[in-house]
Amino acid sequence: MNLLDENIRRDIFLFCRQRLYLNPSEEDYKEFVSLFKDYKEDLRRSEYEYNVENVSSLNEVINEDMLKYRVFIEPKHDGTQIVMKVNDKIHLSHKSGSGINKQDIALLFGVFIKFHEDFLELLSRAKKEGVIIKMEIFGKEYSPFKIEKEPLNFSIFDVLKGDHYLLPTELSYPHSVEFIEIKSLKDIDSMKVLSWLKSKEGVVVKIYGDSLPYRKAKNFNMLVFKYKPFIAQLVDEMKGKKIIKDQGKFSAVFSELITEYAKDRTKSFEEILVKVKEDHEELKDFIDKNHEIIKDFWFNSKAVRSVLQLIEMK
């Protein structure tokens, strides 16, 4: 994407004004282009996340055996995830390595304007420390499910240094993610977790250690378990209809389908499905084998219909 192209510049300015309620200057854009004009899209990754079915499933994850490791709970914001590395150039991608688009660049420009000093510090430290940073850009101005109530912001939720993810307690970057560390079951702040479930897209449980179980889903030294409340509706309907054996992957596919739909309602089902396959290599074979079942559920599920109607109403 050529940031010097006049059409690109115009569209980014328009997005910032109409969607983010920001009024960027030409000087803002010149500085942004000086940093990002030669960015690379070469951060392809193959990492896994478990989507847990309901809140009680989180209790199965956070148990006495798992507490042998370092365990944390974090909010799952409703926004767009971007992965970034800085050396002689800035490298950008989505979490699975797929390329970023014009809207992603506009979101980056938005937080660059609003949090200028913090963003420059982040770029400087990422370059100096040689880390890969995962950030989420979110806020009431940009919230695919219209969940977020606070103004536009960003959160640094993962930092990979070499082949190890830093613990949340080791993150001292601007806008580091909020978290609860769980050393015993008594440490689970139910009110805090409930507030995240009500005001965010969901919650994430992260488990760190050098000899973790669930090796299939292990990302270096970290395991990730996500819970999104609307997924519980899908799982209940799937169980009732006995649609498919691997309900975990099925719910993961629909979690991503609905998220993509919420971001861009102009895309067809097939276009959204292609995007999910591009962004989630671990789901590609499953989608290909179960394409017709997935398609039928998308168009005929009461749970899917109710979630989509909520999105369309907002």
Side-chain angles (χ1 to χ4, degrees):
M1 188 187 308
N2 181 7
L3 298 181
L4 296 174
D5 183 276
E6 179 57 28
N7 291 327
I8 298 291
R9 187 200 68 83
R10 185 192 63 232
D11 290 347
I12 289 174
F13 270 62
L14 193 63
F15 183 91
C16 285
R17 288 167 179 156
Q18 293 186 348
R19 291 289 302 277
L20 305 182
Y21 304 106
L22 295 171
N23 190 27
S25 68
E26 292 297 336
E27 290 304 313
D28 292 329
Y29 195 68
K30 285 179 182 177
E31 183 181 5
F32 182 77
V33 169
S34 72
L35 294 169
F36 285 87
K37 67 178 179 180
D38 295 322
Y39 74 86
K40 299 294 183 182
E41 294 180 327
D42 55 357
L43 284 174
R44 179 158 290 281
R45 319 193 59 72
S46 179
E47 300 189 358
Y48 294 84
E49 297 173 335
Y50 281 162
N51 283 277
V52 299
E53 295 179 356
N54 48 53
V55 174
S56 63
S57 299
L58 290 175
N59 294 329
E60 297 172 14
V61 173
I62 306 173
N63 55 48
E64 294 293 348
D65 287 338
M66 283 298 190
L67 291 177
K68 295 183 296 187
Y69 308 101
R70 299 291 294 274
V71 180
F72 300 84
I73 304 178
E74 299 172 1
K76 172 74 177 74
H77 288 288
D78 178 33
T80 288
Q81 292 185 17
I82 294 178
V83 184
M84 181 170 67
K85 181 180 180 180
V86 184
N87 42 40
D88 57 323
K89 297 186 183 301
I90 294 177
H91 305 254
L92 300 169
S93 79
H94 285 297
K95 59 184 177 182
S96 61
S98 62
I100 62 172
N101 57 34
K102 190 161 48 180
Q103 178 176 278
D104 301 321
I105 288 291
L107 287 167
L108 277 169
F109 183 43
V111 296
F112 175 79
I113 298 167
K114 186 171 181 182
F115 303 102
H116 186 257
E117 295 305 319
D118 288 348
F119 205 83
L120 290 180
E121 180 185 344
L122 179 64
L123 294 177
S124 175
R125 288 192 54 186
K127 182 176 182 178
K128 180 180 179 181
E129 297 172 18
V131 296
I132 293 175
I133 285 173
K134 295 184 183 180
M135 69 171 70
E136 182 108 5
I137 301 175
F138 60 92
K140 62 183 181 182
E141 299 90 344
Y142 177 74
S143 180
F145 285 95
K146 307 297 186 291
I147 294 171
E148 299 286 341
K149 305 303 180 187
E150 300 300 319
L152 183 71
N153 209 331
F154 71 96
S155 174
I156 306 303
F157 63 90
D158 278 333
V159 175
L160 181 64
K161 190 166 188 175
D163 61 355
H164 268 65
Y165 277 102
L166 300 183
L167 298 173
T169 50
E170 298 175 312
L171 302 186
S172 58
Y173 297 86
H175 299 244
S176 294
V177 69
E178 188 177 2
F179 64 85
I180 304 169
E181 182 169 10
I182 310 298
K183 295 182 179 179
S184 77
L185 297 178
K186 295 179 181 179
D187 292 333
I188 300 177
D189 186 338
S190 300
M191 294 303 293
K192 174 65 76 174
V193 173
L194 184 60
S195 73
W196 288 340
L197 289 173
K198 287 182 175 180
S199 63
K200 307 298 176 188
E201 190 180 357
V203 294
V204 180
V205 176
K206 293 180 181 176
I207 301 169
Y208 298 80
D210 291 323
S211 57
L212 292 167
Y214 300 96
R215 297 191 67 84
K216 179 182 175 185
K218 177 181 166 186
N219 300 321
F220 303 104
N221 62 317
M222 179 179 71
L223 280 170
V224 177
F225 298 83
K226 295 189 298 183
Y227 170 63
K228 301 178 183 180
F230 69 81
I231 291 300
Q233 301 174 41
L234 302 177
V235 172
D236 287 344
E237 187 172 346
M238 281 183 266
K239 287 179 177 177
K241 293 185 177 181
K242 298 181 180 178
I243 293 174
I244 205 162
K245 289 183 179 179
D246 196 337
Q247 293 170 343
K249 282 192 176 178
F250 199 66
S251 62
V253 168
F254 274 87
S255 170
E256 300 304 331
L257 280 171
I258 292 171
T259 297
E260 289 301 324
Y261 176 84
K263 290 179 181 177
D264 186 352
R265 285 179 269 166
T266 66
K267 289 184 177 178
S268 68
F269 166 77
E270 295 296 342
E271 288 174 322
I272 296 171
L273 197 62
V274 168
K275 176 65 174 170
V276 171
K277 288 200 293 184
E278 289 175 351
D279 285 356
H280 298 274
E281 184 69 27
E282 75 277 14
L283 297 175
K284 184 179 183 301
D285 288 345
F286 179 84
I287 291 172
D288 289 340
K289 290 176 183 177
N290 298 282
H291 179 274
E292 290 307 311
I293 297 173
I294 293 168
K295 183 177 180 179
D296 181 72
F297 195 74
W298 176 262
F299 287 106
N300 296 295
S301 160
K302 291 181 180 178
V304 170
R305 192 179 308 121
S306 66
V307 174
L308 298 188
Q309 285 173 346
L310 285 174
I311 295 170
E312 289 163 359
M313 288 168 58
K314 296 184 179 183

